[in-house]
């Protein structure tokens, strides 16, 4: 039996919104797999700090910083000008927040679609043609369980992630037969910055973290089969697999790394 070795040496990967949280974990995972990895965020100083952290945890990795606000056409254009060729595009940048459904304004709806949907569309439109010409590429969209289980407290976020599922499937058809795969990753409840404070607002603060998060999941996310929060690195692992040559037959898919949170026998 041959062990699977996920090697992205010689490939350039871009992860949008990768200065913290899930995006940073994805960038680390891609760099450790050998990809030249581009870290993106809006502020140059924050991007520089993330690049430095990545180089510490992945010694010898080829890492570059590309500051740009990809939620605007101008920002996306500046990023593409700085990084004209990408083999692995991970559309991770996103915004979320709670708001009563009837209080979400037109401007808020537009902002969520600009950041969560159109940023990904713009970059796919920019990089997919080059991938097709080279006969190899990977495009991924980081969605959420909220795409399928729309949260009542933030339907604008959930609907924007639902839109990403359609965007991903549509561009997969555009890339059909070219050697380029296009997929969506559905992430479940994840342990990111600020989540611990949120958990301790709902459970006994005297509990150790491992016990606290499991109590939180039992009481507030009972549909999870994992029974704990997902670590960002676990999402990064799936992204690296989907970016690898070994995943060449997986395209047009919505692949879940949600701990069984979505109650469905289909992906």
């Amino acid at each position: 039996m041959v062990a699977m070795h996920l090697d992205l040496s010689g490939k350039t990967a871009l992860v949008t919104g990768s200065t913290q949280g899930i995006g940073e974990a994805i960038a680390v995972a891609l760099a450790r797999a050998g990809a030249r990895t581009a870290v993106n965020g809006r502020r140059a100083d924050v991007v520089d700090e993330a690049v430095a952290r990545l180089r510490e945890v992945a010694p010898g990795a080829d890492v570059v910083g590309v500051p740009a606000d990809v939620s605007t056409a101008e920002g996306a254009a500046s990023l593409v000008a700085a990084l004209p060729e990408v083999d692995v595009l991970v559309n991770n940048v996103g915004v979320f927040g709670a708001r009563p459904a009837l209080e979400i304004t037109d401007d808020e709806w537009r902002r969520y679609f600009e950041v969560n949907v159109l940023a990904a569309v713009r970059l796919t439109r920019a990089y997919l043609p080059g991938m097709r010409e080279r006969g190899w590429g990977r495009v991924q969209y980081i969605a959420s369980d909220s795409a399928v289980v729309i949260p009542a407290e933030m339907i604008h976020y959930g609907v924007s992630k639902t839109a990403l599922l359609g965007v991903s499937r549509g561009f997969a058809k555009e890339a059909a037969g070219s050697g380029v795969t296009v997929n969506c990753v559905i992430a479940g409840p994840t342990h990111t910055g600020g989540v611990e404070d949120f958990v301790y607002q709902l459970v006994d603060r005297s509990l150790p973290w491992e016990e606290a998060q499991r109590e939180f999941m039992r009481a507030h996310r009972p549909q999870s089969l994992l029974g704990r929060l997902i670590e960002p690195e676990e999402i990064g692992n799936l992204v690296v697999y989907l970016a690898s040559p070994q995943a060449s037959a997986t395209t047009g898919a919505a692949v879940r790394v949600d701990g069984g949170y979505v109650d469905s026998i289909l992906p």
Side-chain angles (χ1 to χ4, degrees):
M1 182 176 181
V2 178
M4 182 180 292
H5 178 58
L6 304 180
D7 184 6
L8 295 174
S9 298
K11 305 299 184 185
T12 296
L14 166 64
V15 186
T16 62
S18 48
T19 60
Q20 62 181 345
I22 292 172
E24 184 170 3
I26 291 171
V28 169
L30 289 166
R32 285 175 170 166
R36 174 178 180 249
T37 303
V39 174
N40 163 256
R42 288 178 298 173
R43 290 173 44 191
D45 58 334
V46 176
V47 170
D48 289 344
E49 291 169 2
V51 168
R53 287 195 303 272
L54 202 159
R55 287 173 176 161
E56 285 183 9
V57 299
D62 186 358
V63 186
V64 296
V66 192
D69 181 0
V70 296
S71 69
T72 69
E74 296 78 12
S78 71
L79 185 150
V80 173
L83 192 71
E85 187 173 299
V86 164
D87 302 297
V88 178
L89 170 63
V90 182
N91 293 291
N92 168 76
V93 71
V95 62
F96 71 95
R99 178 80 68 182
L102 297 178
E103 296 178 13
I104 305 169
T105 66
D106 286 0
D107 285 343
E108 286 177 294
W109 277 104
R110 291 188 187 99
R111 175 172 175 253
Y112 272 68
F113 268 78
E114 286 284 353
V115 178
N116 293 357
V117 183
L118 287 178
V121 169
R122 290 186 186 104
L123 292 179
T124 304
R125 201 166 53 210
Y127 288 120
L128 180 56
M131 293 179 185
R132 287 196 306 191
E133 288 173 10
R134 295 188 297 274
W136 198 95
R138 300 287 186 264
V139 179
Q140 298 184 44
Y141 305 86
I142 307 303
S144 163
D145 56 84
S146 295
V148 183
V149 185
I150 302 293
E153 72 278 8
M154 48 181 183
I155 66 169
H156 51 339
Y157 171 74
V159 170
S160 71
K161 291 298 184 177
T162 305
L164 274 187
L165 300 182
V167 166
S168 176
R169 182 70 183 181
F171 277 120
K173 292 179 179 180
E174 179 68 20
S178 67
V180 179
T181 66
V182 183
N183 293 291
C184 226
V185 172
I186 298 180
T190 304
H191 181 193
T192 57
V195 167
E196 291 191 19
D197 288 339
F198 175 69
V199 167
Y200 279 122
Q201 289 174 13
L202 299 173
V203 303
D204 187 349
R205 286 186 175 273
S206 67
L207 293 174
W209 170 247
E210 288 302 319
E211 189 176 342
Q213 69 161 316
R214 290 187 179 277
E215 176 58 29
F216 166 78
M217 297 299 286
R218 281 194 296 269
H220 300 281
R221 301 291 188 272
Q223 61 269 54
S224 170
L225 304 181
L226 193 62
R228 63 166 174 81
L229 291 168
I230 297 159
E231 293 299 326
E233 294 78 11
E234 294 175 302
I235 298 170
N237 292 339
L238 178 58
V239 170
V240 169
Y241 168 69
L242 290 174
S244 73
Q246 285 88 337
S248 56
T250 303
T251 191
V255 186
R256 288 162 44 201
V257 55
D258 68 342
Y261 184 83
V262 176
D263 190 8
S264 172
I265 60 173
L266 295 175

